[in-house]
Amino acid sequence: MTVPDRNTFETAYAGQAPWDIGKPQKAFLDVADRITGSILDAGCGTGENALFFASRGHKVTGFDFLAEPIHRAKLKAAERGLTVNFLVMDALALSDLPEVFDTVIDSGLFHVFDDKDRRRYVEGLASILKPGGRLFLLCFSDEEPGTEGPRRVSRQELEEVFAVGWKVESIEPSRFKVRPDLKQRTFSPGGPKAWVVTISSEGLVRPQ
Ligand SMILES: C[S@@+](CC[C@H](N)C(=O)[O-])C[C@H]1O[C@@H](n2cnc3c(N)ncnc32)[C@H](O)[C@@H]1O
């Protein structure tokens, strides 16, 4: 289980990326009624989760560090008559964003980082979430056997990286939905085991 580099993602988006299921992840449909206000979709890929929340009337920004998935996301938005501010941007430069959000959603981004970049990403999140804003994060769980796919994340790792200032409200078992046509994959029946994590920025101290 190696940490994927930019080239891994570029290769994946030369075709249909293995995680690109063409619809929102069910875990986000399940929490949709708890999601409020403006939304940032971090590492949005081709934008299905962002577009889903735009269809529910949210003001949504989605970003990915690759131009190809953002191009595809913009085409989908135009086809569906939806408005999302799709941007090419690196998640490790979040403090460059001139806007703050009520909610950040992360479907499969957090688990791509090594320990150092994970901490940098979390620091950046603190700068773009409004006080009392929430992060909804879906990542691979250490309960998923094997090594195929991204790095597994434990409850303890989640609690540690969000320990200072953040309030981890819940860490619940969930599943990633995967492309049904990729039959050779060896994930658990029902989809790779995941955590769906709700974290509030309520206690964060912000630099003046
Ligand atoms: C597993 S995919 C998930 C995509 C999408 N959220 C979904 O649920 O289909 C991870 C995404 O994060 C993007 N990504 C990886 N590292 C990134 C970074 N440093 N900044 C922004 N996006 C990144 C990849 O290009 C890819 O689209």
Side-chain angles (χ1 to χ4, degrees), residues 4 12 19 42 47 53-54 77 82 116 129 135 138 141 161 164-165 186 195:
W19 52 81
F53 285 107
L82 292 168
K116 184 166 146 275
L129 258 177
L135 166 66
L138 181 67
S141 154
V161 77
V164 180
T186 56
W195 299 119

Side-chain angles (χ1 to χ4, degrees), residues 159-171:
E159 281 161 358
E160 277 172 13
V161 77
F162 290 102
V164 180
W166 299 91
K167 182 173 174 208
V168 179
E169 294 181 335
S170 61
I171 303 176

Side-chain angles (χ1 to χ4, degrees), residues 9 13 19 43-45 49 63-65 89-91 107-109 113:
F9 291 107
Y13 283 117
W19 52 81
C44 66
N49 297 309
F63 74 85
D64 201 280
F65 72 167
M89 203 189 88
D90 194 322
S107 170
L109 176 63
F113 296 125

